[in-house]
Amino acid sequence: MNVEDVVELRVHGVSGTPPQDLLDRREVDLIAGDRTAGFFRPHYATERDDDFPPGDPDLVVHGPRLEGYAWGGLTSGAPSRAFWLLLLPFTLINVAPRLRPADPDPGSDSGKSDQSALLRLRLLWLVCRLLALTLTLVLVAAFVGIGVDLIGWQCGAASGRCGKAAPGWLFDPIRHLSTAHRMALGLVVPVGMLFLLWLVSKRTINRYERVRATGRQPDAMRAAEWNEADPADAVEVPLASRWMWQNELPVRRLRAIHLQCGVAAALAFAAAPMGGWRWLDGVLAVVVIGYSSIVLTVPSYTGHTAAMHWRKVSYGIWAAVVLAAAGTIAWLLWRPHDFPENGRQCVVTDVAVGRSRPRFDCSKPQGLPHYAATILWLLIVELLLVLVLLAVVLVSRRRAGTARALGAPGPPAGLGGMGTAIMALLAVFLASVFTAGAYMFTAAWLTSGSLHPSLRTISTVSRIFRVPESILDAGFAYSLAVGLGAIMLGARIIWFGWSMLHIRANNSLLVPGSFGTDYPAEDPDSPRGRSILRAMWLGRLVDVVGAMLARLVLIGALLSYFIGGVLVAEHVFGANRLARWLLDPAQVGSNPFAEPAFFSPQALQGKGAYLAVWSIVLLVVLGGAAFRVAPTRRSVGILWDLASFWPRVSHPLAAPCYAERTVPDLVTRISFHADDGCGVVLAAHSQGTVIGAATVLQLRMLDEHTPDRPTLPRVGLLTFGCVLRRLYGRYFPAYFGPAAMDDVRCALRAQDGTDQRWRNLWRYTDYLGGPVTEGPPPVAEPPWNPRGQVVAYPPGPNGLMLDLHLVDPPFGIAPGDTVYPPPLRHSDFWKVPQFQLAVVHVAGLIPEPGDVRPTT
């Protein structure tokens, strides 16, 4: 197709690139979408074509019309988005099932193999959704501990525990209320938190999941065939399914059961000390949680069918929960004398101890009935579910095949192929740690009145309040995990520093022969050569980060199961002496301010809680910087974008899925250009390559069911800084393995079969992207040298050409300059002339409208 009839549609990556930088123009206009995610073009007519690449005055390229899709507002922008990181365990468990091993190869006994694979897949998704439900209950338990247990049950006026709680104008009246009235106020904390989550979820569903691609619809007969070939209630839908990015209904249904279970559990905790008929709250919680666990096994509930009977059942459950909440609050407010007081109190005397601190003559109060036991059993259930998930993943990994497709057998599986189990365990560990940190921090705040209590204060709150054992032991585990992790991280940093100082061309982390292929006439031991070797070496670090992360998670796993085993031995088998010897703090007298020994269990519990609080604060601060500061966004944004790419069909309260908006946007815009007779080169960078691949598969699916108006033959794909194989193919092999890459290539293959409308630009210095057909690490390939528009492509699979290697950085100083050019690494691909040449070449592979044959 003539380049004048083609639109170059650029899609940026993780850094939230502004549209001006994306199009390399100072003035741009919004032509479709909105400022959150919209399509832009250059403002001035003379700048609307991608002409005259900078940096090479001898090479003139007349490129296609320029347009850009800026979607960074979906994952960056206001610093308040950083508070999504407080729900990080939810996001991790939502990603966990996507990390599963690839499906097995079909064989002669494919029927039996398919049935066993389907059974494992059902079990994997069920266990992940059950774990997601328990994580919601853990969050509710944390806020119940703050509002109902600490403020409502243990903070009476006579106790002296919360006398310094600040602000005094608020807490002094609360302390003098009856226990029943305090618990009614405390119940507002977990229920208000759930209501806030409902509001946020409602808003994000309207902004993300409700978005639909507009345009073509199949006729009635083809729609029926479509529904049969692509069922709405499949256990798991592939990238090419029309349901992959239409998850409004399942997300709403899953959100309903999570919030219903949360409210019912909060009511059961509040009603636990009450007599009379209030035991019905506990029964209601058991029924609601049991019902929720059962419906997670029903395909029409977790699927995409608009089944009205589930909505009616949900309305009935909400009615029962609201009535129970009204009855419980009414009982607490109007029958306070029927409510038992927490009678074991602390007496404050004026005896000076040490630095004139008060002495507490204190027998600790009883904690909220059934609270400690419930969160302990929640932890045990979570660890058992993770064991089941581990067994499923082990079997799936052993049965996983090596697909014979583009770039087979694919890169080594990230996290040893155990990503699903590792991510689930990390979610459980962090949820426990966050709960412990929030509980202990609140207790220290109520004791001292300070929003930044000291380590000593946090370490001694367990002598003033009745703190559940599982919370203390979570802090203990976190302190050990942080200490061991710091040692491992320090050793890695020392190794990195030593390797950087002693870099050589034969370094084990470098691609063998890479320096010689890019700079055949240069000395690698010269200062400039070593500088380039360091840039190449840093470009390989992402390939070893997964192993380090797996080791860190292994530490948390061993500590979690060790402490869980000790708690089970204590509470189930009565091994109290062993548990006290391992975990319980030593008694140091009646002075709650006495500092325990540095490595005593009590000190480690306090340090763990203290570290957990600071971890939460630093996580939010880092997230705020990542959402607002471009350099920080580039360095940590890839982790967030990896997690929030996936639909919320495991945990509905996870971070919203930006692909629910970006993929329909691109499908609609590309179809619009194709219907207008234009070709489109989808030029995708970094995370945009993942969105681009998903868009291509969606367009292929639409073409199959509306063959009279094919769109995909008028589409070409140019990827650069491509993370499809290096990251997604490694960590999500079931979705982005060799078979999926082969699907994308075949979808873009020319009708005569001689070529495909896809090229991929990559560099050795790129720390995230890489080739599609090989690696990581890739083999040493000669650089692509298109000087004089003579294209010398390296051959690809079956003789087809795909990966194009760029030299970065140039070895010498450019004419007229005084400094060496810096490595571009993962950025600024469109600022080198090879980029525009590749765009023009892909545009030339798009057939003219009259040459496009209808899809059969």
Side-chain angles (χ1 to χ4, degrees), residues 65 101 114 120 123 138 141 158 171 281 292 413 444 486 502 666 687 702 739 771 778 807:
R65 285 178 288 162
D114 289 347
R120 290 195 300 272
L123 187 56
V138 167
F171 276 98
D281 279 344
S292 301
H502 299 81
L666 285 171
Q687 191 71 14
L702 286 172
V807 174

Side-chain angles (χ1 to χ4, degrees), residues 26 57 64 147 177 290 329 347 481 564 577 595 647 672 724 762:
R26 288 188 177 182
L177 295 174
I329 294 174
V347 178
R577 184 174 299 178
E595 187 171 3
F672 165 78
L724 286 173
W762 65 279

Side-chain angles (χ1 to χ4, degrees), residues 366-503:
Q366 295 297 317
L368 183 69
H370 309 305
Y371 177 68
T374 301
I375 59 175
L376 171 62
W377 282 107
L378 265 178
L379 174 63
I380 293 173
V381 168
E382 287 176 332
L383 294 177
L384 291 176
L385 287 173
V386 171
L387 286 178
V388 174
L389 191 62
L390 177 63
V392 174
V393 172
L394 283 172
V395 175
S396 299
R397 188 182 67 164
R398 186 163 56 88
R399 301 286 178 87
T402 54
R404 302 187 182 280
L406 175 68
L415 302 176
M418 305 300 298
T420 297
I422 288 175
M423 201 61 63
L425 182 60
L426 185 60
V428 170
F429 184 74
L430 288 180
S432 302
V433 167
F434 286 5
T435 299
Y439 188 100
M440 297 283 281
F441 175 82
T442 303
W445 169 42
L446 293 173
T447 299
S448 65
S450 173
L451 288 175
H452 44 86
S454 65
L455 174 60
R456 175 181 295 179
T457 302
I458 292 180
S459 299
T460 55
V461 293
S462 61
R463 302 182 206 165
I464 302 172
F465 292 96
R466 177 70 69 178
V467 181
E469 285 180 272
S470 54
I471 287 178
L472 292 172
D473 296 336
F476 178 76
Y478 192 58
S479 63
L480 292 179
V482 169
L484 295 174
I487 293 173
M488 292 179 60
L489 187 62
R492 275 293 178 181
I493 291 174
I494 293 173
W495 178 78
F496 288 158
W498 186 90
S499 299
M500 288 283 284
L501 291 174
H502 299 81
I503 191 72

